[in-house]
Amino acid sequence: ARMDVQKLRARSSVIVTGVQTIIEDDPLMTVRANEIEIEHAGLSANRKRPVYILDPNLRVSPHARVLQDPNNVLVCGSGKSLGGPVKARIIESKTTQDDRIDLLELLTFLAKEQCNEVLFECGGVLAGSLVHQGLCDELVIYIAPKMMGSSARSLLSMPEIDTMSGLFNVNVTDIRVIGDDIRVTSDPI
């Protein structure tokens, strides 16, 4: 699955993630040519592909590895400042009433920047917001053969659904075994 995600990154114009992913994993969010088996993998890995980190309250460490790349962008709420050795660009964004980055405004901005394929590689809170607001065109879910128990984090953090009419429906377009994992690709209905 990790190698397959490299292919998703390679075909995207931009990658968007949330601050919690950066805090917990300190990832680079880059395409690694040696991990993908596609033609011209090196060209894809070297293409400037910005990573947008959504951090309305600037909780990220200025030493985070992803912030050391000048192509990347830290998106924060108005009036915030971050000290330290940051090479990434910092931009302010409108936030919602619950103090999150306004996703529709961000996607509108990215469309104006001609980012036609936006990959959200994120945790349950940001993923749940995208799904709940109807802002995703495709969901790619990886299922690992592991049991995590009832206190594991949810795939999508969304409001409770108490009626059948409130269900979020998808059209499964592909199911594929990727190594030991299963990839399910679907489109929202």
Side-chain angles (χ1 to χ4, degrees), residues 98 100-101 103 123-136 156-159:
D98 58 350
R100 297 188 192 280
I101 299 298
L103 295 176
V125 173
L126 181 51
S129 293
L130 287 164
V131 170
H132 184 68
Q133 293 176 46
L135 297 175
C136 59
L156 299 171
S157 180
M158 294 175 45

mmCIF file of all heavy atoms in Angstrom, residues 98 100-101 103 123-136 156-159:
data_model
loop_
_atom_site.group_PDB
_atom_site.id
_atom_site.type_symbol
_atom_site.label_atom_id
_atom_site.label_comp_id
_atom_site.label_asym_id
_atom_site.label_seq_id
_atom_site.Cartn_x
_atom_site.Cartn_y
_atom_site.Cartn_z
ATOM 1 N N ASP A 98 -15.682 26.484 13.511
ATOM 2 C CA ASP A 98 -15.049 25.522 14.415
ATOM 3 C C ASP A 98 -13.521 25.574 14.311
ATOM 4 O O ASP A 98 -12.828 24.644 14.688
ATOM 5 C CB ASP A 98 -15.577 24.102 14.190
ATOM 6 C CG ASP A 98 -15.380 23.604 12.766
ATOM 7 O OD1 ASP A 98 -14.999 24.406 11.885
ATOM 8 O OD2 ASP A 98 -15.588 22.405 12.541
ATOM 9 N N ARG A 100 -11.284 25.698 11.773
ATOM 10 C CA ARG A 100 -10.574 24.850 10.807
ATOM 11 C C ARG A 100 -10.384 25.664 9.529
ATOM 12 O O ARG A 100 -11.128 26.604 9.256
ATOM 13 C CB ARG A 100 -11.377 23.589 10.505
ATOM 14 C CG ARG A 100 -11.567 22.711 11.724
ATOM 15 C CD ARG A 100 -12.205 21.393 11.324
ATOM 16 N NE ARG A 100 -12.650 20.635 12.468
ATOM 17 C CZ ARG A 100 -11.862 19.893 13.238
ATOM 18 N NH1 ARG A 100 -10.584 19.833 12.994
ATOM 19 N NH2 ARG A 100 -12.338 19.224 14.262
ATOM 20 N N ILE A 101 -9.410 25.272 8.738
ATOM 21 C CA ILE A 101 -9.195 25.932 7.450
ATOM 22 C C ILE A 101 -10.416 25.675 6.572
ATOM 23 O O ILE A 101 -10.928 24.560 6.513
ATOM 24 C CB ILE A 101 -7.921 25.389 6.760
ATOM 25 C CG1 ILE A 101 -6.678 25.642 7.617
ATOM 26 C CG2 ILE A 101 -7.762 25.963 5.357
ATOM 27 C CD1 ILE A 101 -6.348 27.093 7.877
ATOM 28 N N LEU A 103 -12.131 24.557 3.707
ATOM 29 C CA LEU A 103 -11.715 23.646 2.642
ATOM 30 C C LEU A 103 -12.209 24.081 1.263
ATOM 31 O O LEU A 103 -11.492 23.940 0.272
ATOM 32 C CB LEU A 103 -12.171 22.224 2.951
ATOM 33 C CG LEU A 103 -11.535 21.599 4.194
ATOM 34 C CD1 LEU A 103 -12.127 20.224 4.459
ATOM 35 C CD2 LEU A 103 -10.024 21.527 4.052
ATOM 36 N N GLY A 123 -5.465 12.257 7.886
ATOM 37 C CA GLY A 123 -6.126 11.447 8.892
ATOM 38 C C GLY A 123 -7.637 11.590 8.849
ATOM 39 O O GLY A 123 -8.209 12.243 7.954
ATOM 40 N N GLY A 124 -8.283 10.995 9.833
ATOM 41 C CA GLY A 124 -9.736 10.899 9.871
ATOM 42 C C GLY A 124 -10.480 12.216 9.992
ATOM 43 O O GLY A 124 -11.577 12.363 9.454
ATOM 44 N N VAL A 125 -9.906 13.202 10.688
ATOM 45 C CA VAL A 125 -10.614 14.477 10.872
ATOM 46 C C VAL A 125 -10.722 15.228 9.556
ATOM 47 O O VAL A 125 -11.809 15.626 9.143
ATOM 48 C CB VAL A 125 -9.923 15.336 11.960
ATOM 49 C CG1 VAL A 125 -10.538 16.724 12.029
ATOM 50 C CG2 VAL A 125 -10.006 14.649 13.324
ATOM 51 N N LEU A 126 -9.598 15.409 8.878
ATOM 52 C CA LEU A 126 -9.617 16.119 7.599
ATOM 53 C C LEU A 126 -10.374 15.314 6.542
ATOM 54 O O LEU A 126 -11.193 15.862 5.800
ATOM 55 C CB LEU A 126 -8.180 16.421 7.135
ATOM 56 C CG LEU A 126 -8.014 17.182 5.825
ATOM 57 C CD1 LEU A 126 -8.854 18.450 5.781
ATOM 58 C CD2 LEU A 126 -6.528 17.494 5.607
ATOM 59 N N ALA A 127 -10.152 14.007 6.487
ATOM 60 C CA ALA A 127 -10.870 13.161 5.531
ATOM 61 C C ALA A 127 -12.375 13.215 5.786
ATOM 62 O O ALA A 127 -13.172 13.326 4.850
ATOM 63 C CB ALA A 127 -10.364 11.720 5.618
ATOM 64 N N GLY A 128 -12.764 13.152 7.050
ATOM 65 C CA GLY A 128 -14.184 13.236 7.390
ATOM 66 C C GLY A 128 -14.795 14.559 6.980
ATOM 67 O O GLY A 128 -15.932 14.613 6.493
ATOM 68 N N SER A 129 -14.057 15.653 7.149
ATOM 69 C CA SER A 129 -14.549 16.973 6.737
ATOM 70 C C SER A 129 -14.768 17.035 5.234
ATOM 71 O O SER A 129 -15.768 17.572 4.765
ATOM 72 C CB SER A 129 -13.565 18.070 7.160
ATOM 73 O OG SER A 129 -13.520 18.195 8.554
ATOM 74 N N LEU A 130 -13.829 16.483 4.478
ATOM 75 C CA LEU A 130 -13.976 16.472 3.019
ATOM 76 C C LEU A 130 -15.214 15.698 2.586
ATOM 77 O O LEU A 130 -15.993 16.159 1.749
ATOM 78 C CB LEU A 130 -12.744 15.845 2.371
ATOM 79 C CG LEU A 130 -11.488 16.677 2.371
ATOM 80 C CD1 LEU A 130 -10.278 15.810 2.071
ATOM 81 C CD2 LEU A 130 -11.609 17.799 1.362
ATOM 82 N N VAL A 131 -15.383 14.525 3.160
ATOM 83 C CA VAL A 131 -16.528 13.681 2.797
ATOM 84 C C VAL A 131 -17.829 14.336 3.242
ATOM 85 O O VAL A 131 -18.781 14.424 2.474
ATOM 86 C CB VAL A 131 -16.366 12.265 3.406
ATOM 87 C CG1 VAL A 131 -17.645 11.463 3.262
ATOM 88 C CG2 VAL A 131 -15.194 11.545 2.751
ATOM 89 N N HIS A 132 -17.861 14.808 4.470
ATOM 90 C CA HIS A 132 -19.081 15.422 5.024
ATOM 91 C C HIS A 132 -19.511 16.645 4.213
ATOM 92 O O HIS A 132 -20.706 16.873 4.012
ATOM 93 C CB HIS A 132 -18.856 15.790 6.488
ATOM 94 C CG HIS A 132 -20.063 16.329 7.170
ATOM 95 N ND1 HIS A 132 -21.179 15.550 7.428
ATOM 96 C CD2 HIS A 132 -20.351 17.564 7.629
ATOM 97 C CE1 HIS A 132 -22.092 16.296 8.028
ATOM 98 N NE2 HIS A 132 -21.616 17.522 8.150
ATOM 99 N N GLN A 133 -18.540 17.425 3.726
ATOM 100 C CA GLN A 133 -18.852 18.628 2.954
ATOM 101 C C GLN A 133 -19.052 18.341 1.460
ATOM 102 O O GLN A 133 -19.330 19.250 0.694
ATOM 103 C CB GLN A 133 -17.740 19.668 3.127
ATOM 104 C CG GLN A 133 -17.647 20.213 4.536
ATOM 105 C CD GLN A 133 -16.485 21.172 4.692
ATOM 106 O OE1 GLN A 133 -16.275 22.047 3.850
ATOM 107 N NE2 GLN A 133 -15.726 21.010 5.756
ATOM 108 N N GLY A 134 -18.883 17.088 1.055
ATOM 109 C CA GLY A 134 -19.069 16.733 -0.351
ATOM 110 C C GLY A 134 -17.993 17.303 -1.257
ATOM 111 O O GLY A 134 -18.273 17.657 -2.406
ATOM 112 N N LEU A 135 -16.759 17.378 -0.769
ATOM 113 C CA LEU A 135 -15.680 18.008 -1.518
ATOM 114 C C LEU A 135 -14.689 17.027 -2.139
ATOM 115 O O LEU A 135 -13.617 17.433 -2.579
ATOM 116 C CB LEU A 135 -14.921 18.990 -0.607
ATOM 117 C CG LEU A 135 -15.746 20.159 -0.081
ATOM 118 C CD1 LEU A 135 -14.924 20.992 0.891
ATOM 119 C CD2 LEU A 135 -16.264 21.016 -1.226
ATOM 120 N N CYS A 136 -15.024 15.764 -2.169
ATOM 121 C CA CYS A 136 -14.090 14.804 -2.781
ATOM 122 C C CYS A 136 -14.747 14.139 -3.991
ATOM 123 O O CYS A 136 -15.952 13.907 -4.013
ATOM 124 C CB CYS A 136 -13.614 13.774 -1.770
ATOM 125 S SG CYS A 136 -14.904 12.798 -1.023
ATOM 126 N N LEU A 156 -12.894 7.865 9.092
ATOM 127 C CA LEU A 156 -13.484 9.176 8.834
ATOM 128 C C LEU A 156 -14.136 9.685 10.112
ATOM 129 O O LEU A 156 -15.019 9.042 10.655
ATOM 130 C CB LEU A 156 -14.555 9.093 7.744
ATOM 131 C CG LEU A 156 -14.118 8.624 6.369
ATOM 132 C CD1 LEU A 156 -15.324 8.392 5.479
ATOM 133 C CD2 LEU A 156 -13.185 9.626 5.729
ATOM 134 N N SER A 157 -13.712 10.830 10.567
ATOM 135 C CA SER A 157 -14.336 11.444 11.732
ATOM 136 C C SER A 157 -15.465 12.343 11.231
ATOM 137 O O SER A 157 -15.218 13.407 10.667
ATOM 138 C CB SER A 157 -13.296 12.257 12.502
ATOM 139 O OG SER A 157 -13.881 12.852 13.624
ATOM 140 N N MET A 158 -16.704 11.855 11.401
ATOM 141 C CA MET A 158 -17.870 12.572 10.897
ATOM 142 C C MET A 158 -18.954 12.569 11.967
ATOM 143 O O MET A 158 -18.918 11.756 12.885
ATOM 144 C CB MET A 158 -18.401 11.897 9.617
ATOM 145 C CG MET A 158 -17.454 11.992 8.457
ATOM 146 S SD MET A 158 -17.971 11.101 6.965
ATOM 147 C CE MET A 158 -19.664 11.470 6.754
ATOM 148 N N PRO A 159 -19.935 13.457 11.818
ATOM 149 C CA PRO A 159 -21.063 13.433 12.763
ATOM 150 C C PRO A 159 -21.765 12.076 12.727
ATOM 151 O O PRO A 159 -21.776 11.393 11.698
ATOM 152 C CB PRO A 159 -21.989 14.536 12.258
ATOM 153 C CG PRO A 159 -21.138 15.407 11.395
ATOM 154 C CD PRO A 159 -20.069 14.522 10.828
#
